[in-house]
Amino acid sequence: MARIQIITIITSLLFLLYISRLIIKGKLREEYAIVWCVCTLILVIFSFWRSGLEVMSKLFGVYEAPNLVFTASIFVILIYLLHLSVVASKLHKQNKQMAQDIALLKEKVYSEDRQLEN
Amino acid sequence: MPMPKQLLIIIPCYNEQASLPALLGEVGSLQIPGYELTPLVVNDCSKDNTYAVAKQYGAKVLDLPINLGIGGAVQSGLLYASQYHFDFAVQMDGDGQHPPKELIKLLAHNEATGANLIIGSRFIENEGFQSSFTRRLGIGYFYWLTRILTGVHVFDSTSGFRLFDKKAIELATNYYPDEYPEPESLVHFSKAGLRISETPVIMAGRMGGQSSIRNFASLYYCIKVTLAMLFSAIRKTQ
């Protein structure tokens, strides 16, 4: 086994361990962790299967194997960013609704306090 | 004697401590026969003393814990209107650009036409404060876009000086756009079957403080609002 294979396998496993730790500590939701775990798994698979990259490149019609890595990675990142944007939009909407609820409640409490004083 | 109609005056404010005293004074002394007026200051998480100034003048205040922008702030006021069963709500900006004495024109137009949303327009008659050329160019663009998407002729689609009746209030509590809400909301309201009508008013320049929309005709605004209006037009109404 080549040196780079060993390095990537060890790094991937350490990465997986760290993600598990974050999930256990409650710092990372599972739904976000899935993407990272899948990526790490793919990295581990290709670390063991050296000729795998060549096979994949031929399959997709890509001449230079590393280009496939970059293209696939960028594509995955774009999709993930889109997902995060969707999540952020939802959080924004929920924030707005809560802020409005809070303001209405504060006003109600203030009014009732004034009424009690009088 | 019929019961007076309950009218909520929504005053959205972001750092308007300078303009608020004069505005609240004018609103306080405003008398419109047949209507009972309730001013409601919506403090959009101002950094200055807007809240304290509003309280000092005895106004009811919705104190937003985070800054929501004009759309969110106005919607907060409309939520209040809906919750306390007001008959009408009017948006009157905290910078003083919407003179309280012009309010009676909006109400009169509603009585005359029965439309659900009355827009106080600067551009039907060329009186009062006129914006810069580029701003008026942008407004002309939105006139055509609004007309294409809704069929309604609106010369001042960006005017915030608007009167909502009960139906419009209910619709807005479910959905009201966040950023630059005025043109997009017209498309949304029109699609939901509400009647929109414009009436001329005279608006003032800012009385104090600084505008939060500096370069009105900025490209971002135009693109963003155009997209929002197009999506609003094709979106299924609930």
Side-chain angles (χ1 to χ4, degrees):
Chain A
M1 223 191 245
R3 185 186 301 184
I4 184 67
Q5 280 177 283
I6 298 175
I7 294 174
T8 50
I9 289 168
I10 292 178
T11 316
S12 307
L13 288 174
L14 284 174
F15 195 59
L16 268 174
L17 274 167
Y18 184 64
I19 290 175
S20 310
R21 191 182 136 99
L22 284 174
I23 295 177
I24 290 170
K25 283 195 151 185
K27 288 191 181 170
L28 185 66
R29 289 170 70 95
E30 289 85 351
E31 62 189 276
Y32 303 129
I34 285 177
V35 176
W36 300 117
C37 291
V38 167
C39 289
T40 316
L41 208 62
I42 292 176
L43 194 58
V44 168
I45 291 173
F46 281 96
S47 303
F48 280 108
W49 183 27
R50 275 221 80 181
S51 58
L53 190 56
E54 300 294 333
V55 171
M56 285 292 141
S57 301
K58 282 218 180 73
L59 200 64
F60 282 94
V62 174
Y63 185 57
E64 291 281 343
N67 287 342
L68 178 64
V69 176
F70 294 134
T71 312
S73 306
I74 290 173
F75 186 66
V76 167
I77 288 169
L78 284 176
I79 292 182
Y80 192 57
L81 285 176
L82 180 63
H83 171 70
L84 288 180
S85 301
V86 169
V87 170
S89 299
K90 181 177 170 187
L91 288 174
H92 186 99
K93 187 174 171 188
Q94 290 176 326
N95 260 359
K96 182 182 82 160
Q97 287 170 338
M98 289 206 291
Q100 289 172 330
D101 264 3
I102 289 173
L104 287 166
L105 282 171
K106 280 194 331 198
E107 202 287 320
K108 194 167 184 185
V109 169
Y110 184 89
S111 285
E112 286 172 6
D113 274 351
R114 292 299 287 288
Q115 279 182 353
L116 283 174
E117 278 172 26
N118 297 340
Chain B
M1 258 290 276
M3 278 274 286
K5 303 253 177 69
Q6 300 294 323
L7 168 62
L8 183 71
I9 301 179
I10 301 171
I11 306 175
C13 294
Y14 181 65
N15 296 339
E16 300 288 4
Q17 66 178 20
S19 349
L20 212 46
L23 179 62
L24 288 175
E26 264 190 77
V27 169
S29 56
L30 197 61
Q31 305 266 34
I32 301 181
Y35 295 89
E36 192 175 314
L37 309 176
T38 306
L40 177 72
V41 172
V42 182
N43 178 27
D44 200 0
C45 201
S46 302
K47 302 270 180 289
D48 68 0
N49 285 324
T50 296
Y51 180 80
V53 169
K55 278 288 169 229
Q56 189 185 350
Y57 282 80
K60 289 193 200 286
V61 185
L62 282 185
D63 197 23
L64 292 170
I66 55 175
N67 178 269
L68 296 182
I70 185 74
V74 170
Q75 192 185 34
S76 309
L78 293 166
L79 284 167
Y80 184 96
S82 171
Q83 195 173 2
Y84 292 98
H85 310 295
F86 279 81
D87 299 297
F88 293 98
V90 64
Q91 179 182 336
M92 191 178 282
D93 283 350
D95 56 11
Q97 284 197 38
H98 305 151
K101 58 177 162 34
E102 298 290 296
L103 175 54
I104 196 160
K105 292 184 185 171
L106 300 182
L107 290 167
H109 195 72
N110 169 264
E111 283 171 18
T113 63
N116 306 101
L117 184 74
I118 312 289
I119 302 172
S121 169
R122 288 162 283 196
F123 300 105
I124 298 180
E125 292 165 17
N126 288 320
E127 293 174 49
F129 174 74
Q130 293 300 330
S131 326
S132 66
F133 171 72
T134 37
R135 180 163 185 158
R136 280 182 280 145
L137 193 69
I139 287 169
Y141 166 74
F142 285 115
Y143 167 78
W144 283 108
L145 190 56
T146 310
R147 187 163 161 192
I148 291 168
L149 294 176
T150 69
V152 184
H153 295 236
V154 179
F155 286 93
D156 196 352
S157 52
T158 60
S159 166
F161 196 27
R162 327 172 127 190
L163 179 71
F164 298 74
D165 78 349
K166 265 204 158 142
K167 229 178 144 190
I169 292 170
E170 282 316 307
L171 189 68
T173 52
N174 287 325
Y175 176 74
Y176 198 70
D178 280 339
E179 258 194 316
Y180 312 120
E182 292 87 9
E184 190 196 334
S185 54
L186 293 182
V187 177
H188 178 69
F189 280 28
S190 173
K191 279 215 73 191
L194 262 52
R195 286 205 0 256
I196 300 168
S197 187
E198 243 187 338
T199 192
V201 294
I202 299 169
M203 291 207 208
R206 297 191 122 256
M207 291 201 294
Q210 243 191 340
S211 170
S212 55
I213 300 180
R214 226 141 295 199
N215 189 5
F216 177 92
S218 66
L219 212 54
Y220 170 73
Y221 178 104
C222 281
I223 294 173
K224 198 263 172 192
V225 176
T226 304
L227 272 175
M229 287 173 79
L230 290 172
F231 279 120
S232 238
I234 60 180
R235 187 182 290 136
K236 280 203 173 86
T237 47
Q238 286 138 334

